[in-house]
Amino acid sequence: MTKDVVLSPLARADGSASCTSNGYSVIAAVNGPVEVQRRDEIPEESAIDVVLRPAIGVGGVRERHLESIIEKTLRQVILVSAHPRTLIQITLQVVAAPVDSNASNNLHQSASNLSLLPILLQSSMLALLSTSLPLTMTFTSTLIAVSRSGELVRKASVKALKEAASLHVLAFSSLGELLLAESEGAFDVDIWDQVYRWAEKDCRKSDLGDPTQTDDVDMDLSKPGSLEDSLRSIIEEKAAREYRWKES
Amino acid sequence: MADRRRINPPSGPTITPIFLASPSDPPTQPPHRTRPPHEIRKIFLKTGLTPSASGSAYLELEPSSSPKPTTCVDRSTSALKLTCTVHGPRPLPRSVPFSPHLLLTAHVKFAPFASKHRRGYVRDTSERDLSVHVETALRGLLISERWPKSGVDVVITILEAEDDGPAFTEGGSGGAGDGAGGLSGWGMMSVLSGCMTVASAAIADAGIDCSDLVSGGVAAVVRQPSFPHTQTGASKASPKEIVLDPCPSEHADILAVCVVGYLRSRDQITEIWTRGDMEGLPGEEGSEQSNFEVLLDQAVEAAVSSRLVLDAALKEATEYKLQKMAPALPSSGEKVKGSD
Amino acid sequence: MPGQVLSEDVLPVPHKSSMPLKLGPGLRHAPPSTITTSLAGPLCIDRKKNAIWVENNSGRYIPQTNDVIIATVHHSSTDWYHCSITPYTTFAQLPQLAFEGATKKTRPQLTSGGLIYARVVAASKHLDPEIACYNPSTGKSEGLGELKGGMVFDISLGMARRLLLNKQREEGKLVILEDIAEQVAFEIAVGRNGKVWISANGVKETLLVGKALQTVDEEVLNVDEQKKLAKKLLRQV
Amino acid sequence: MAKQPISAAQPLSFPPSHFAKLAPRSYLHAHLSSSNGRRPSGRLPHEARKPQINTGSLTHCHGSAVVRAGDNAVVCGIRAEILNASDIVDCTPATKPEELEQRYGTDEEDSQRPEIKAYYTLHITLLVLSLSGPPFPTIWTALLSALRNTRLPKAWWDADRQSVICSPLISDSKPLRLNGLPIAMSCGVFNTEKDGAGLVSQNADGGGKDGKKWILCDTDGFEEGCCEEEITVVVRERQAASGRGMEIVRIEKCGGGVVGREEMREVVMLAEERWKVVKEAVEGSA
Amino acid sequence: MPLDTSTYSLALLRLDGRRWNELRRMHAQISTQPTADGSSYLEMGNTKVICTVAGPAEGRKAGGGGGTGGDANAMVQVEIGIAGFSGVDRKRRARGDKRTSEMQLTVANAFSNTLFTHLYPHSTILITLYVLSQDGSLLAACLNASTLALIDAGVPMSDYIAACTSGSTSSYNNNDEAADPLLDLNGTEEQELPFLTVGTLGAGEKVSVLVMESRVQAMRLEGMLAVGVDGCKQVKEILDDVVRRHGKRILLERVKI
Amino acid sequence: MPPSTLLSPSELSYLHSSLSLDLPIRPDARSPTTFRPLVAETDLLPTTNGSARLCFADGSEAIVGVKAEVERTIGASSTSSDVFARGEDGDGDTKMQSAEEEMNEERRRLARGKGQDSWIEVTIDMPGFARDDDGVVVFLAQMLQEGLVADEGLRDRLWIGWGWHWRIYVDILLLTTPNSYPLPLLSLTTHLALLATRLPAPISRIDEDPLFNDDWDAAEPLYPPSGSAHASKPPFTLLVISVEDNIFFDPSREELAVADAVCAVTVGTIDAPVSSGKRREGTPKLRLLSLRIIDPPARLAAATSGTEAEDDQGAWRPARGGMKRAVVGKMVKVVLEVGGVGEEVMTGLEGFHDG
Amino acid sequence: MSLPTLALPGQLLGAFSRYEPGPGTHLHESNVYASLPGRPTASTSSHNPSSKSSKPSPKQTLTVTRLPSMSATADPGPVSERISNTNALPRVGDVVLGRVTRCMTRQVNIGILIVLGASGDNEEGMVCANEIQGVVRREDVRATEKEKVVIGEGFRVGDLVRAVVISLGDQSNYYLTTAKNELGVIMAKSEYRNTMYPISWKEFKDPVTGETETRKVAKPL
């Protein structure tokens, strides 16, 4: 799993994490709480600034949009009232994206848009944990595609994504709330319901996911089990490493 | 450099469709002025259409020449459509040094689809120039020392511009494109007059103390359309006349135009913008007045008649407010604040 | 993990009801009696002190009252020095008279860039932290004040905490310093803000000590490894 | 207890406008938890504002629309311009900075002409004249109405002029083909859990924990300020393939954890209601 | 080919009739602008530059030009305006133009190290250069003009900065060993030949500015540099002369009064 | 760009009142219409088609360079109407002497009305204005350009032949920081530069691609010198201020500071063909090309404390409202009238050019 | 001459000989003109802030009521939205309500939300569209023993404060004072974000936790 998730790879940042999954690879860095510009200072909370840089070129409209989604979500997670009038800056750099045959074509950009979202969320979550900023909860997120024939696909390939009838990204908090839901394509409530259930299984503690879902549905965090479990295990490992000195 | 604020069309120049001028259609004939020379076009003016602003107004000139049977995709005569929002008075941004009075800034912007030639998203020279004109017209109006250390922004968006008639189309992309390029045509002048009127209404709507209202008026020297189609006019001199509120597309060649921002109740002028050759007007030799003065007076005439509309619109709005506010605050003077 | 609610049984039962439960970093108390974690890390419980907290090593230092820190003077105003404790955060206020025996006449002249060893006297999330180089009650410096010469090394917050434990060897499992101290004489000041100031006779020695600490920190060496390292380094001098 | 006179009485001593400014959340909370459960705007929580649409008013545009919904006002102007195949660098269709737009870029695609000589490029400009509350639904409606209103002139390649020539006759021009009529609805979630929702919650329903939650359709500017969680749903009638009925084409929800499965169903139903209303407004305008 | 190598090798004369180590006619005046604190007008051949100096003045404008020196020193700011008509064919340089700003930076750095900026803390010295016509050696001309203007403004400096260009008689591609160095290239020569701009501190060997942006064999470099530095000496003489004459005039006027 | 005067409110009010007397008194005892002395030279830049340098009394200085380039006229093709026009006019010219004389004559006649605004480009370079599109700079550029293009005589002279025309770049360089409205300075300098501008003489026929006589001496002046058949002068802009009912030319900074209103008046000459021959020898008749009101600096500068009544004689405060119609009329008259300020200035400038 | 029921800017209202120009009017060539659209009213009130001399004038004072801009569109919109875009700017002597945005050792920054009249009467308050920066300097916090004031003990970020404008201040801030009994914090939340109630002139109490926090408490009106 160290292959897919690395905690604090960056020495200078207060906290950082890098994730690799499904052809994407992202490095997230968190800095904060630091001094905030007078302009966007919030009296009773800390401002959160998400910066997303695409693999190639500079960010545009699409990146801004993703940034706003991530910012809204993290605001729920970070204990913003703990550090008022400060800035918490999250920088997300897409290192690698799956090669898209006709990437030039905008029409499918939106698809890749969503498929990028989970790993962005995931890596920023991990980066936050490594920063040890006070949080209200943790969360995990996953991407589920619905093919034209109506069956659900996890970890859809680029091709599958392109052909999918609809795409769904859902994020669940450790308290079991649905934190975020982004869906596009054509579908109806029942399909969405199904997606919801699948996603919940993937994300939440495995004890409420049924045994059939043990195949590697998670963000490649190697050992089976839900994303939340793997998240936990990552942290445990970190702790173990840091407090090695205690034993012996 | 690439525009990252919006999703852009395919890279590569796009051009406005060129229409086949089939002589059969009436619309392709240049429209003629149907109004008498001293009549201005109908103006629709209403305040308070933009609730999110401190004050706002919308102005529309109704196309004078009778709307044609719309068999044609691009209607050749367009009507001026302006919206103006006023923000403030509000505290000045930190960057601006302390000022004991109200600082006014005006931003005039054409919507990209406002004119025949597609406009860019950044303000070009002609737009900036218009802004300067509008500021000049308004500054004289405000009783600015009643609003210390504060600023007010007047934002005018031109949804639809006067299409600039011959002067414009001939002059190529009149200044829109090339940096400090050529001037844009006569249409600009009537746009300015509209801007002044609408801005004045919006400012009054925002409840900012003014010494008067300013209304715009345009008058032009035109060569009477003796031969409709000759552009090479100079040689064959047909009689010149002065018309109020010229609609550029209606006049084969306009020789000079004068815009004024006029304060009626003070009989003063806060803004003049005049261009062109105003020589050889009928009855120039005899009279004491120079051609310019004759033209100026006519422009003022136009301003006076647009002032009527301005007053009416404000009256209506004010009555509306009064009856709305009736419960809100008892109409006794002392309780009003924020002034002086 | 953040967001977890600590069940009652985890909480230490106060053997003396008089002694209230102390909540360390990483825990939030929402009245009446729910305690939720806000940090990720091992949960530590000290039954004697009846305290409970979440260990964490990384991240940025947040000033806490009574912490000792190493700060850099950025600039000075009429009666304040403005010092930076961590980069890019608001400056801490150091009253110019907050030194041992400082009066209007005899106040220490600190230049920008100067190092000081100070104690956080006031830290609230709403106010800029205030620090002092003496104990307000006694007026004694208690080892605080300007740090002259020497060098500052960055270490993790956890390491800083370990170094400040009064029983390093037992609790902190730190032997490296003692071992080195046997052969190299040096002064050391440890700031909670993840900075350690070291001054030895020569630059070489200073570096040696600093490097030693940093390696111990980064590679999380246990006692024997530390001893090894100490030997290796000492061989060089 | 002494608090009653203070915490209860004091706020009431403000006129409503002040109360709204000083403690917006409590103000909204007070309204919603009052007997009639209406919002400050007098609307019911699930009541949306009806859009007023008029189209085709802009002369220099091939299609245009002005949409007002409450205090949101948006102008959309669409101009078709000719892009000679020769100058094409990449074939991204003209779109505007709304993520949905890309999804429905296909709408414009229809308008591209099969000839190799040149394409129509639609320059779509949206101006928000007045903003209060989430603008997207209004913007989207404006865009739709404008697209429906757009007519592209008949065009052909004129060999000797070496350029594309268009017929000026409206009779020759043809409208755009849109697939379906997707309508967007957004609503906010007002959640008093996070804060001990100020004054009012001090009464019976004491704030802090077990706070109340409301789903407010089509929030206005004031309410938007009080709602963190925001949901936008876009629905349209099913396309031919999978029979009749409605289908969802987009869900966007972030900023909070209140809306789960059941709530989502509820929201979608509201969206479908909304669809009917807006649909007739849009069609009425044409 | 601006420099006909064949004829050159024979007559050792350049197209404008100069010999290899000959400067172009150089003409300069001091305090041409009455309103400015210091000003100068300088011609190197057909390259004509006007320079005005404002300051040292309290406070500093944010950004602009190449600002250097800490708060304790004066900041030297340089603005270079290249007139649209200065070139052979009309070309408008935008303000943000990269080449211009690079030149600004070069000049700013050169002078913030030569001037005694520590005498004027928290203040700004603004050097504004107007290029009226350019025909090679632009940067050199700017440097020389600035020196004069600064002297006129009475800003103390350790010594003159005198600059000129030097090149090599044949382009990089046909690298013949026989390539000789050239002094003070004009516009056409600059287009064809490798060249560098060198500015020395006073008549000494101290090189304070050295810019080369063209490709040339390393071995030629030394020769070019030598010639360049030598040229700077000559330039320094000329500048010095200008200053002295100006000084004399002022003294005379004093006497008259 | 409000010129900052260091005058106290009371000084201002004194100045204002002394200027508003029936027989106004200017600080430097000038008559309302006299100008301050100025220094100028032309043809200082060999690389340009025309150039001028002008220095005002207050030390402000500007350099203008004019460059002309041949350019293909977009979308211009010898359409039927033009051809027709040619034939028609062709009948008239039997008594033309030499060939190229005739050609020029014909070119001149055909050019009529063909000129385009976009053929003339004015750019201004000002120290201290970081951005080229700063409101003030734009406004000045537009102002000057307005004057130039308003004179169709100039526009037409740029016409070379079917499909070809001159494009003129007027680059204005302000050397000193603008301490007052630099408009007149820039305009007069431009005037001189244009006066000195010469275009290579075309030797090709109008319907073929242009060829030019590369002999600079043979080049024709852009503005035919006075005396010649088609004599005309470049337009120029004057700054006129009004205090109460008095008007003043070439206002100093202090005078500007108390001006009730400021006007920029652009005048040009009437081309020979237009005014039917009744032109006095030497100076051609003047006409108004454009005029606009400029914000008086007093409005921009900090107004004194908010005393309500306007009639209080204490500190002077900038007047509210606008200017009177009559005053504007007066300004124009004084500029235009035969032997008026306009002519005076024009002849004055011509002196510099010839000398 | 009777007053018109409705006046527009620049409309003649009466001669200076008969009327004093009050708010919403101005003087031009010794006549009083309206400077706002609205209903002019004449009143014989001795105190008229606008008259240049303090001597009580027998003349009537003319005023024109400022009216907020209102959405002319069909639906009225929430009251807050309708009123909030009236442009209120504080004047010296006005009572203002604002929220503490930041505490520093020497001053508290306050975002002014509502400008009440000089009388401090709620009814005539004006809501600021976007909050205006104000500051209470340490010496202006309370009237007595100013030098002992510790900002941290008087205010917390988020508190609601009633204060009086003492000067237009510098380019960014209005200067305010709370040095009066009825001025100071009127509404405060505890660390646990519960609204507290005042129990003394310098303390608030959290009803839920029962903890108290110190403030510069405003005496409830």
Side-chain angles (χ1 to χ4, degrees), chain D residues 2-79:
Chain D
K3 79 180 179 199
Q4 287 316 333
I6 308 300
S7 52
Q10 199 172 23
L12 301 186
S13 70
F14 293 122
S17 64
H18 296 191
F19 188 11
K21 184 75 177 181
L22 297 173
R25 296 184 62 92
S26 332
Y27 177 72
L28 182 53
H29 188 272
H31 265 274
L32 292 171
S33 49
S34 67
S35 56
N36 61 7
R38 286 184 179 276
R39 296 146 69 172
S41 53
R43 285 186 281 151
L44 286 167
H46 289 174
E47 187 179 343
R49 298 169 293 191
K50 192 175 188 308
Q52 310 160 335
I53 308 175
N54 67 21
T55 56
S57 46
L58 294 178
T59 319
H60 294 301
C61 298
H62 294 83
S64 66
V66 182
V67 176
R68 291 185 169 277
D71 286 348
N72 280 332
V74 178
V75 181
C76 175
I78 300 181
R79 286 169 68 108

Side-chain angles (χ1 to χ4, degrees), chain E residues 41-144:
Chain E
Y41 171 76
L42 179 128
E43 288 182 14
M44 291 174 79
N46 269 334
T47 304
K48 303 181 179 167
V49 182
I50 291 184
C51 176
T52 65
V53 170
E58 271 301 310
R60 36 185 61 188
K61 303 193 205 69
T68 50
D71 197 44
N73 305 356
M75 180 163 86
V76 179
Q77 273 190 356
V78 178
E79 269 185 37
I80 299 182
I82 299 182
F85 49 74
S86 60
V88 176
D89 45 12
R90 195 262 183 194
K91 174 149 140 291
R92 176 138 178 79
R93 290 266 189 104
R95 264 175 204 273
D97 176 65
K98 291 281 180 293
R99 289 204 65 75
T100 319
S101 40
E102 189 181 355
M103 271 171 59
Q104 291 176 346
L105 197 62
T106 319
V107 178
N109 289 336
F111 281 101
S112 46
N113 296 331
T114 313
L115 301 175
F116 295 150
T117 52
H118 60 274
L119 297 177
Y120 309 97
H122 314 290
S123 55
T124 313
I125 301 171
L126 176 61
I127 304 174
T128 319
L129 288 147
Y130 305 89
V131 179
L132 302 183
S133 127
Q134 41 184 334
D135 180 22
S137 314
L138 185 53
L139 178 57
C142 288
L143 286 164
N144 297 333

Side-chain angles (χ1 to χ4, degrees), chain F residues 30-222:
Chain F
R30 278 184 288 154
S31 90
T33 54
T34 42
F35 282 68
R36 289 166 294 176
L38 46 78
V39 195
E41 61 173 317
T42 57
D43 288 323
L44 63 156
L45 298 171
T47 53
T48 59
N49 294 61
S51 60
R53 172 166 164 277
L54 195 144
C55 189
F56 261 21
D58 62 359
S60 55
E61 180 173 1
I63 293 186
V64 171
V66 181
K67 266 191 177 300
E69 288 175 6
V70 180
E71 196 175 65
R72 205 170 229 314
T73 319
I74 315 100
S77 59
S78 68
T79 57
S80 58
S81 70
D82 299 329
V83 177
F84 167 70
R86 261 169 85 199
E88 180 197 57
D89 301 347
D91 310 340
D93 46 44
T94 43
K95 50 200 163 304
M96 277 296 165
Q97 296 87 347
S98 68
E100 101 256 29
E101 174 90 15
E102 168 185 354
M103 199 171 69
N104 294 344
E105 199 43 51
E106 187 187 9
R107 175 172 282 114
R108 204 169 281 117
R109 184 170 55 260
L110 289 175
R112 204 160 291 146
K114 299 229 175 26
Q116 293 183 10
D117 294 357
S118 52
W119 291 356
I120 303 159
E121 189 174 317
V122 179
T123 60
I124 299 184
D125 223 322
M126 267 202 217
F129 282 91
R131 307 173 58 238
D132 290 353
D133 55 5
D134 182 285
V136 176
V137 182
V138 168
F139 155 75
L140 287 170
Q142 292 270 320
M143 192 63 210
L144 294 167
Q145 190 146 15
E146 219 161 71
L148 293 180
V149 300
D151 162 4
E152 62 287 308
L154 168 62
R155 273 195 267 139
D156 297 349
R157 279 194 294 278
L158 298 179
W159 186 81
I160 299 169
W162 310 119
W164 293 96
H165 67 262
W166 287 108
R167 185 180 177 82
I168 289 205
Y169 298 95
V170 180
D171 289 303
I172 305 177
L173 215 64
L174 187 58
L175 294 188
T176 49
T177 46
N179 51 8
S180 74
Y181 287 89
L183 188 54
L185 170 65
L186 302 186
S187 156
L188 296 185
T189 323
T190 313
H191 175 89
L192 275 176
L194 287 170
L195 213 52
T197 303
R198 285 187 294 173
L199 300 178
I203 49 180
S204 57
R205 284 195 56 78
I206 51 178
D207 43 10
E208 60 200 16
D209 287 1
L211 283 174
F212 297 96
N213 184 342
D214 55 5
D215 174 7
W216 181 245
D217 303 335
E220 311 165 329
L222 179 59

Side-chain angles (χ1 to χ4, degrees), chain D residues 174-192:
Chain D
K174 77 179 179 65
L176 291 180
R177 210 168 60 249
L178 304 192
N179 40 18
L181 187 65
I183 300 293
M185 183 205 65
S186 72
C187 46
V189 176
F190 179 54
N191 179 358
T192 61

Side-chain angles (χ1 to χ4, degrees), chain A residues 14 32-35 79 81-82 84-85 130-136 232 238 241-246 248, chain C residues 1 3-4 28 38-39 55-60 88-90 125-126 162 171-173 219-220 222 225:
Chain A
D14 290 336
V34 296
E35 194 165 14
L79 196 51
S81 58
R85 299 180 2 264
S130 83
T131 318
S132 63
L133 276 168
L135 310 173
T136 56
R232 185 180 188 82
K238 165 176 183 271
R241 203 168 58 253
E242 284 174 356
Y243 296 103
R244 230 178 98 242
W245 56 271
K246 285 213 164 181
S248 84
Chain C
M1 298 288 273
Q4 278 174 323
R28 284 196 304 155
S38 60
L39 290 178
E55 279 282 358
N56 74 302
N57 186 27
S58 46
R60 180 174 284 263
Y88 308 116
T89 45
T90 49
K125 60 182 181 180
H126 294 301
R162 282 165 69 192
E171 294 174 13
K173 303 269 192 310
E219 290 155 27
V220 204
N222 57 29
E225 290 165 328

Side-chain angles (χ1 to χ4, degrees), chain G residues 20-195:
Chain G
E20 271 293 324
T25 68
H26 70 283
L27 200 57
H28 173 54
E29 287 164 356
S30 71
N31 278 323
V32 180
Y33 290 81
S35 59
L36 292 172
R39 174 179 297 132
T41 53
S43 61
T44 47
S45 65
S46 58
H47 95 288
N48 39 10
S50 56
S51 76
K52 53 186 190 293
S53 61
S54 56
K55 58 156 171 57
S57 60
K59 300 191 252 176
Q60 284 193 313
T61 307
L62 277 178
T63 54
V64 177
T65 311
R66 165 173 289 99
L67 301 166
S69 161
M70 279 185 216
S71 145
T73 48
D75 72 312
V79 62
S80 57
E81 238 173 300
R82 258 211 354 271
I83 308 295
S84 70
N85 51 28
T86 61
N87 33 46
L89 286 178
R91 290 175 304 164
V92 174
D94 282 351
V95 178
V96 295
L97 299 180
R99 177 164 284 117
V100 176
T101 55
R102 125 184 268 180
C103 297
M104 285 178 289
T105 42
R106 255 183 253 78
Q107 64 180 47
V108 228
N109 290 31
I110 297 201
I112 300 171
L113 301 171
I114 295 176
V115 180
L116 306 168
S119 58
D121 170 7
N122 281 336
E123 287 319 307
E124 70 181 46
M126 293 276 234
V127 178
C128 314
N130 31 24
E131 69 180 45
I132 299 169
Q133 292 309 317
V135 47
V136 179
R137 289 164 305 173
R138 193 151 156 271
E139 54 271 33
D140 298 329
V141 169
R142 62 170 184 243
T144 56
E145 43 187 6
K146 299 179 174 185
E147 61 290 338
K148 287 210 180 61
V149 173
V150 177
I151 293 292
E153 292 169 3
F155 303 91
R156 273 263 180 285
V157 173
D159 292 352
L160 209 55
V161 174
R162 184 191 290 116
V164 169
V165 182
I166 50 177
S167 91
L168 293 180
D170 53 24
Q171 67 180 31
S172 47
N173 293 311
Y174 284 83
Y175 285 176
L176 313 173
T177 179
T178 58
K180 268 205 188 109
N181 282 345
E182 67 275 18
L183 301 179
V185 178
I186 56 174
M187 225 163 72
K189 289 193 174 182
S190 68
E191 280 301 303
Y192 303 97
R193 310 192 55 27
N194 299 316
T195 307

Side-chain angles (χ1 to χ4, degrees), chain B residues 7 15 71 73 114-116 160, chain D residues 59-60 79 82 95 168 170:
Chain B
I7 297 175
I15 47 171
T71 61
V73 178
S115 49
K116 277 214 182 92
E160 189 165 309
Chain D
T59 319
H60 294 301
R79 286 169 68 108
I82 307 250
T95 47
I170 274 191

